[in-house]
PDB file of all heavy atoms in Angstrom:
ATOM      1  N   LEU A  56     -14.680  -8.090 -10.040  1.00  0.00           N
ATOM      2  CA  LEU A  56     -14.183  -7.150  -9.038  1.00  0.00           C
ATOM      3  C   LEU A  56     -12.656  -7.162  -9.004  1.00  0.00           C
ATOM      4  O   LEU A  56     -12.013  -8.186  -9.235  1.00  0.00           O
ATOM      5  CB  LEU A  56     -14.756  -7.508  -7.671  1.00  0.00           C
ATOM      6  CG  LEU A  56     -16.286  -7.590  -7.632  1.00  0.00           C
ATOM      7  CD1 LEU A  56     -16.764  -8.167  -6.308  1.00  0.00           C
ATOM      8  CD2 LEU A  56     -16.916  -6.227  -7.883  1.00  0.00           C
ATOM      9  N   ILE A  57     -12.084  -6.010  -8.685  1.00  0.00           N
ATOM     10  CA  ILE A  57     -10.624  -5.838  -8.673  1.00  0.00           C
ATOM     11  C   ILE A  57     -10.162  -5.589  -7.244  1.00  0.00           C
ATOM     12  O   ILE A  57     -10.591  -4.629  -6.601  1.00  0.00           O
ATOM     13  CB  ILE A  57     -10.190  -4.667  -9.567  1.00  0.00           C
ATOM     14  CG1 ILE A  57     -10.875  -4.719 -10.941  1.00  0.00           C
ATOM     15  CG2 ILE A  57      -8.673  -4.645  -9.700  1.00  0.00           C
ATOM     16  CD1 ILE A  57     -10.509  -5.884 -11.810  1.00  0.00           C
ATOM     17  N   ASN A  58      -9.298  -6.461  -6.747  1.00  0.00           N
ATOM     18  CA  ASN A  58      -8.739  -6.352  -5.401  1.00  0.00           C
ATOM     19  C   ASN A  58      -7.318  -5.827  -5.530  1.00  0.00           C
ATOM     20  O   ASN A  58      -6.392  -6.559  -5.865  1.00  0.00           O
ATOM     21  CB  ASN A  58      -8.748  -7.726  -4.722  1.00  0.00           C
ATOM     22  CG  ASN A  58      -8.242  -7.686  -3.297  1.00  0.00           C
ATOM     23  OD1 ASN A  58      -7.812  -6.645  -2.804  1.00  0.00           O
ATOM     24  ND2 ASN A  58      -8.277  -8.822  -2.623  1.00  0.00           N
ATOM     25  N   CYS A  59      -7.132  -4.556  -5.253  1.00  0.00           N
ATOM     26  CA  CYS A  59      -5.834  -3.915  -5.523  1.00  0.00           C
ATOM     27  C   CYS A  59      -4.814  -4.091  -4.413  1.00  0.00           C
ATOM     28  O   CYS A  59      -3.654  -3.703  -4.590  1.00  0.00           O
ATOM     29  CB  CYS A  59      -6.042  -2.433  -5.794  1.00  0.00           C
ATOM     30  SG  CYS A  59      -6.762  -2.120  -7.433  1.00  0.00           S
ATOM     31  N   HIS A  60      -5.215  -4.669  -3.278  1.00  0.00           N
ATOM     32  CA  HIS A  60      -4.234  -4.886  -2.213  1.00  0.00           C
ATOM     33  C   HIS A  60      -4.612  -6.098  -1.373  1.00  0.00           C
ATOM     34  O   HIS A  60      -5.643  -6.120  -0.707  1.00  0.00           O
ATOM     35  CB  HIS A  60      -4.127  -3.667  -1.305  1.00  0.00           C
ATOM     36  CG  HIS A  60      -3.107  -3.843  -0.212  1.00  0.00           C
ATOM     37  ND1 HIS A  60      -1.757  -3.859  -0.450  1.00  0.00           N
ATOM     38  CD2 HIS A  60      -3.245  -4.028   1.132  1.00  0.00           C
ATOM     39  CE1 HIS A  60      -1.098  -4.036   0.690  1.00  0.00           C
ATOM     40  NE2 HIS A  60      -1.977  -4.148   1.663  1.00  0.00           N
ATOM     41  N   CYS A  61      -3.748  -7.098  -1.413  1.00  0.00           N
ATOM     42  CA  CYS A  61      -3.956  -8.321  -0.652  1.00  0.00           C
ATOM     43  C   CYS A  61      -2.587  -8.875  -0.261  1.00  0.00           C
ATOM     44  O   CYS A  61      -1.564  -8.489  -0.832  1.00  0.00           O
ATOM     45  CB  CYS A  61      -4.720  -9.330  -1.511  1.00  0.00           C
ATOM     46  SG  CYS A  61      -5.221 -10.847  -0.660  1.00  0.00           S
ATOM     47  N   HIS A  62      -2.571  -9.745   0.750  1.00  0.00           N
ATOM     48  CA  HIS A  62      -1.372 -10.514   1.108  1.00  0.00           C
ATOM     49  C   HIS A  62      -1.803 -11.976   1.144  1.00  0.00           C
ATOM     50  O   HIS A  62      -2.077 -12.534   2.203  1.00  0.00           O
ATOM     51  CB  HIS A  62      -0.841 -10.139   2.496  1.00  0.00           C
ATOM     52  CG  HIS A  62      -0.415  -8.711   2.678  1.00  0.00           C
ATOM     53  ND1 HIS A  62       0.903  -8.349   2.875  1.00  0.00           N
ATOM     54  CD2 HIS A  62      -1.125  -7.561   2.736  1.00  0.00           C
ATOM     55  CE1 HIS A  62       0.981  -7.037   3.052  1.00  0.00           C
ATOM     56  NE2 HIS A  62      -0.252  -6.538   2.968  1.00  0.00           N
ATOM     57  N   LEU A  63      -1.879 -12.613  -0.012  1.00  0.00           N
ATOM     58  CA  LEU A  63      -2.366 -13.987  -0.081  1.00  0.00           C
ATOM     59  C   LEU A  63      -1.524 -14.921   0.785  1.00  0.00           C
ATOM     60  O   LEU A  63      -2.044 -15.857   1.389  1.00  0.00           O
ATOM     61  CB  LEU A  63      -2.362 -14.462  -1.535  1.00  0.00           C
ATOM     62  CG  LEU A  63      -2.927 -15.857  -1.816  1.00  0.00           C
ATOM     63  CD1 LEU A  63      -4.401 -15.938  -1.446  1.00  0.00           C
ATOM     64  CD2 LEU A  63      -2.719 -16.235  -3.287  1.00  0.00           C
ATOM     65  N   MET A 107     -11.616 -15.922  -3.258  1.00  0.00           N
ATOM     66  CA  MET A 107     -11.627 -14.707  -4.059  1.00  0.00           C
ATOM     67  C   MET A 107     -12.188 -14.973  -5.454  1.00  0.00           C
ATOM     68  O   MET A 107     -12.987 -14.186  -5.969  1.00  0.00           O
ATOM     69  CB  MET A 107     -10.224 -14.106  -4.142  1.00  0.00           C
ATOM     70  CG  MET A 107      -9.798 -13.420  -2.858  1.00  0.00           C
ATOM     71  SD  MET A 107      -8.366 -12.321  -3.055  1.00  0.00           S
ATOM     72  CE  MET A 107      -7.041 -13.523  -3.136  1.00  0.00           C
ATOM     73  N   ILE A 112     -13.733 -11.936  -7.767  1.00  0.00           N
ATOM     74  CA  ILE A 112     -12.512 -11.153  -7.943  1.00  0.00           C
ATOM     75  C   ILE A 112     -11.749 -11.706  -9.145  1.00  0.00           C
ATOM     76  O   ILE A 112     -11.472 -12.903  -9.227  1.00  0.00           O
ATOM     77  CB  ILE A 112     -11.654 -11.187  -6.667  1.00  0.00           C
ATOM     78  CG1 ILE A 112     -12.357 -10.382  -5.559  1.00  0.00           C
ATOM     79  CG2 ILE A 112     -10.254 -10.630  -6.925  1.00  0.00           C
ATOM     80  CD1 ILE A 112     -11.714 -10.503  -4.194  1.00  0.00           C
ATOM     81  N   VAL A 113     -11.394 -10.821 -10.078  1.00  0.00           N
ATOM     82  CA  VAL A 113     -10.755 -11.264 -11.323  1.00  0.00           C
ATOM     83  C   VAL A 113      -9.301 -10.818 -11.436  1.00  0.00           C
ATOM     84  O   VAL A 113      -8.566 -11.325 -12.291  1.00  0.00           O
ATOM     85  CB  VAL A 113     -11.533 -10.777 -12.559  1.00  0.00           C
ATOM     86  CG1 VAL A 113     -12.926 -11.392 -12.587  1.00  0.00           C
ATOM     87  CG2 VAL A 113     -11.600  -9.256 -12.617  1.00  0.00           C
ATOM     88  N   ALA A 114      -8.885  -9.875 -10.605  1.00  0.00           N
ATOM     89  CA  ALA A 114      -7.491  -9.417 -10.622  1.00  0.00           C
ATOM     90  C   ALA A 114      -7.121  -8.952  -9.226  1.00  0.00           C
ATOM     91  O   ALA A 114      -7.940  -8.364  -8.508  1.00  0.00           O
ATOM     92  CB  ALA A 114      -7.286  -8.286 -11.625  1.00  0.00           C
ATOM     93  N   VAL A 115      -5.852  -9.211  -8.844  1.00  0.00           N
ATOM     94  CA  VAL A 115      -5.387  -8.900  -7.487  1.00  0.00           C
ATOM     95  C   VAL A 115      -4.006  -8.271  -7.551  1.00  0.00           C
ATOM     96  O   VAL A 115      -3.105  -8.779  -8.234  1.00  0.00           O
ATOM     97  CB  VAL A 115      -5.325 -10.172  -6.612  1.00  0.00           C
ATOM     98  CG1 VAL A 115      -4.847  -9.824  -5.202  1.00  0.00           C
ATOM     99  CG2 VAL A 115      -6.683 -10.862  -6.553  1.00  0.00           C
ATOM    100  N   GLY A 116      -3.840  -7.179  -6.828  1.00  0.00           N
ATOM    101  CA  GLY A 116      -2.521  -6.641  -6.532  1.00  0.00           C
ATOM    102  C   GLY A 116      -2.062  -7.290  -5.241  1.00  0.00           C
ATOM    103  O   GLY A 116      -2.542  -6.943  -4.164  1.00  0.00           O
ATOM    104  N   ASP A 117      -1.138  -8.249  -5.343  1.00  0.00           N
ATOM    105  CA  ASP A 117      -0.837  -9.118  -4.206  1.00  0.00           C
ATOM    106  C   ASP A 117       0.568  -8.910  -3.683  1.00  0.00           C
ATOM    107  O   ASP A 117       1.552  -9.070  -4.407  1.00  0.00           O
ATOM    108  CB  ASP A 117      -1.019 -10.579  -4.609  1.00  0.00           C
ATOM    109  CG  ASP A 117      -0.935 -11.515  -3.414  1.00  0.00           C
ATOM    110  OD1 ASP A 117      -1.704 -11.285  -2.448  1.00  0.00           O
ATOM    111  OD2 ASP A 117      -0.111 -12.441  -3.432  1.00  0.00           O
ATOM    112  N   ILE A 118       0.651  -8.591  -2.400  1.00  0.00           N
ATOM    113  CA  ILE A 118       1.922  -8.402  -1.707  1.00  0.00           C
ATOM    114  C   ILE A 118       2.482  -9.747  -1.283  1.00  0.00           C
ATOM    115  O   ILE A 118       1.751 -10.613  -0.799  1.00  0.00           O
ATOM    116  CB  ILE A 118       1.720  -7.536  -0.449  1.00  0.00           C
ATOM    117  CG1 ILE A 118       1.249  -6.127  -0.833  1.00  0.00           C
ATOM    118  CG2 ILE A 118       2.979  -7.486   0.389  1.00  0.00           C
ATOM    119  CD1 ILE A 118       2.301  -5.226  -1.369  1.00  0.00           C
ATOM    120  N   ILE A 133      -7.315 -16.070 -11.878  1.00  0.00           N
ATOM    121  CA  ILE A 133      -7.223 -14.659 -11.501  1.00  0.00           C
ATOM    122  C   ILE A 133      -5.933 -14.085 -12.102  1.00  0.00           C
ATOM    123  O   ILE A 133      -4.921 -14.781 -12.216  1.00  0.00           O
ATOM    124  CB  ILE A 133      -7.216 -14.512  -9.972  1.00  0.00           C
ATOM    125  CG1 ILE A 133      -8.548 -14.968  -9.378  1.00  0.00           C
ATOM    126  CG2 ILE A 133      -6.907 -13.080  -9.547  1.00  0.00           C
ATOM    127  CD1 ILE A 133      -8.556 -15.049  -7.864  1.00  0.00           C
ATOM    128  N   ARG A 134      -5.975 -12.807 -12.468  1.00  0.00           N
ATOM    129  CA  ARG A 134      -4.733 -12.126 -12.876  1.00  0.00           C
ATOM    130  C   ARG A 134      -4.031 -11.595 -11.629  1.00  0.00           C
ATOM    131  O   ARG A 134      -4.671 -11.038 -10.737  1.00  0.00           O
ATOM    132  CB  ARG A 134      -5.031 -10.958 -13.799  1.00  0.00           C
ATOM    133  CG  ARG A 134      -5.563 -11.357 -15.146  1.00  0.00           C
ATOM    134  CD  ARG A 134      -5.445 -10.184 -16.093  1.00  0.00           C
ATOM    135  NE  ARG A 134      -6.228 -10.412 -17.303  1.00  0.00           N
ATOM    136  CZ  ARG A 134      -6.104  -9.678 -18.393  1.00  0.00           C
ATOM    137  NH1 ARG A 134      -5.250  -8.672 -18.415  1.00  0.00           N
ATOM    138  NH2 ARG A 134      -6.840  -9.924 -19.454  1.00  0.00           N
ATOM    139  N   TRP A 135      -2.703 -11.696 -11.629  1.00  0.00           N
ATOM    140  CA  TRP A 135      -1.929 -11.299 -10.454  1.00  0.00           C
ATOM    141  C   TRP A 135      -0.900 -10.232 -10.804  1.00  0.00           C
ATOM    142  O   TRP A 135      -0.060 -10.437 -11.677  1.00  0.00           O
ATOM    143  CB  TRP A 135      -1.214 -12.517  -9.859  1.00  0.00           C
ATOM    144  CG  TRP A 135      -2.180 -13.570  -9.423  1.00  0.00           C
ATOM    145  CD1 TRP A 135      -2.603 -14.647 -10.158  1.00  0.00           C
ATOM    146  CD2 TRP A 135      -2.871 -13.641  -8.169  1.00  0.00           C
ATOM    147  NE1 TRP A 135      -3.523 -15.382  -9.440  1.00  0.00           N
ATOM    148  CE2 TRP A 135      -3.704 -14.788  -8.211  1.00  0.00           C
ATOM    149  CE3 TRP A 135      -2.864 -12.863  -7.016  1.00  0.00           C
ATOM    150  CZ2 TRP A 135      -4.517 -15.164  -7.150  1.00  0.00           C
ATOM    151  CZ3 TRP A 135      -3.676 -13.225  -5.964  1.00  0.00           C
ATOM    152  CH2 TRP A 135      -4.487 -14.363  -6.031  1.00  0.00           C
ATOM    153  N   GLN A 136      -0.996  -9.106 -10.130  1.00  0.00           N
ATOM    154  CA  GLN A 136       0.097  -8.146 -10.083  1.00  0.00           C
ATOM    155  C   GLN A 136       0.856  -8.469  -8.807  1.00  0.00           C
ATOM    156  O   GLN A 136       0.388  -8.205  -7.691  1.00  0.00           O
ATOM    157  CB  GLN A 136      -0.418  -6.711 -10.045  1.00  0.00           C
ATOM    158  CG  GLN A 136       0.612  -5.663  -9.631  1.00  0.00           C
ATOM    159  CD  GLN A 136       1.769  -5.533 -10.591  1.00  0.00           C
ATOM    160  OE1 GLN A 136       1.578  -5.164 -11.748  1.00  0.00           O
ATOM    161  NE2 GLN A 136       2.977  -5.830 -10.136  1.00  0.00           N
ATOM    162  N   ASN A 137       2.001  -9.122  -8.951  1.00  0.00           N
ATOM    163  CA  ASN A 137       2.800  -9.512  -7.788  1.00  0.00           C
ATOM    164  C   ASN A 137       3.651  -8.343  -7.328  1.00  0.00           C
ATOM    165  O   ASN A 137       4.525  -7.874  -8.056  1.00  0.00           O
ATOM    166  CB  ASN A 137       3.715 -10.690  -8.141  1.00  0.00           C
ATOM    167  CG  ASN A 137       2.946 -11.927  -8.539  1.00  0.00           C
ATOM    168  OD1 ASN A 137       2.185 -12.469  -7.744  1.00  0.00           O
ATOM    169  ND2 ASN A 137       3.124 -12.364  -9.775  1.00  0.00           N
ATOM    170  N   PHE A 138       3.384  -7.883  -6.131  1.00  0.00           N
ATOM    171  CA  PHE A 138       4.205  -6.864  -5.501  1.00  0.00           C
ATOM    172  C   PHE A 138       5.162  -7.576  -4.547  1.00  0.00           C
ATOM    173  O   PHE A 138       4.771  -7.954  -3.435  1.00  0.00           O
ATOM    174  CB  PHE A 138       3.340  -5.870  -4.728  1.00  0.00           C
ATOM    175  CG  PHE A 138       2.442  -5.013  -5.588  1.00  0.00           C
ATOM    176  CD1 PHE A 138       1.090  -4.924  -5.320  1.00  0.00           C
ATOM    177  CD2 PHE A 138       2.957  -4.293  -6.648  1.00  0.00           C
ATOM    178  CE1 PHE A 138       0.256  -4.119  -6.093  1.00  0.00           C
ATOM    179  CE2 PHE A 138       2.136  -3.488  -7.438  1.00  0.00           C
ATOM    180  CZ  PHE A 138       0.781  -3.404  -7.157  1.00  0.00           C
ATOM    181  N   THR A 326      -8.563  -5.665  -0.037  1.00  0.00           N
ATOM    182  CA  THR A 326      -9.033  -6.398   1.140  1.00  0.00           C
ATOM    183  C   THR A 326      -7.990  -6.508   2.239  1.00  0.00           C
ATOM    184  O   THR A 326      -8.314  -6.861   3.363  1.00  0.00           O
ATOM    185  CB  THR A 326      -9.430  -7.839   0.770  1.00  0.00           C
ATOM    186  OG1 THR A 326      -8.275  -8.525   0.265  1.00  0.00           O
ATOM    187  CG2 THR A 326     -10.526  -7.860  -0.287  1.00  0.00           C
ATOM    188  N   LEU A 368      -4.381  -0.850 -12.309  1.00  0.00           N
ATOM    189  CA  LEU A 368      -3.487  -1.993 -12.536  1.00  0.00           C
ATOM    190  C   LEU A 368      -3.109  -2.153 -14.010  1.00  0.00           C
ATOM    191  O   LEU A 368      -2.383  -3.082 -14.361  1.00  0.00           O
ATOM    192  CB  LEU A 368      -4.148  -3.283 -12.043  1.00  0.00           C
ATOM    193  CG  LEU A 368      -4.200  -3.466 -10.524  1.00  0.00           C
ATOM    194  CD1 LEU A 368      -5.040  -4.678 -10.162  1.00  0.00           C
ATOM    195  CD2 LEU A 368      -2.802  -3.587  -9.928  1.00  0.00           C
ATOM    196  N   TRP A 370      -4.925  -2.954 -16.584  1.00  0.00           N
ATOM    197  CA  TRP A 370      -5.564  -4.076 -17.242  1.00  0.00           C
ATOM    198  C   TRP A 370      -6.964  -3.714 -17.732  1.00  0.00           C
ATOM    199  O   TRP A 370      -7.822  -4.578 -17.928  1.00  0.00           O
ATOM    200  CB  TRP A 370      -5.630  -5.288 -16.302  1.00  0.00           C
ATOM    201  CG  TRP A 370      -4.328  -6.023 -16.210  1.00  0.00           C
ATOM    202  CD1 TRP A 370      -3.408  -6.181 -17.198  1.00  0.00           C
ATOM    203  CD2 TRP A 370      -3.815  -6.718 -15.067  1.00  0.00           C
ATOM    204  NE1 TRP A 370      -2.338  -6.915 -16.741  1.00  0.00           N
ATOM    205  CE2 TRP A 370      -2.557  -7.268 -15.431  1.00  0.00           C
ATOM    206  CE3 TRP A 370      -4.280  -6.927 -13.775  1.00  0.00           C
ATOM    207  CZ2 TRP A 370      -1.770  -8.008 -14.562  1.00  0.00           C
ATOM    208  CZ3 TRP A 370      -3.497  -7.660 -12.899  1.00  0.00           C
ATOM    209  CH2 TRP A 370      -2.255  -8.204 -13.295  1.00  0.00           C
TER     210      TRP A 370
END
Side-chain angles (χ1 to χ4, degrees):
L56 305 171
I57 313 294
N58 183 356
C59 286
H60 181 71
C61 186
H62 299 248
L63 184 63
M107 285 196 283
I112 290 172
V113 296
V115 180
D117 189 55
I118 296 284
I133 295 171
R134 292 196 193 193
W135 299 94
Q136 165 64 63
N137 298 298
F138 293 128
T326 62
L368 286 172
W370 281 327

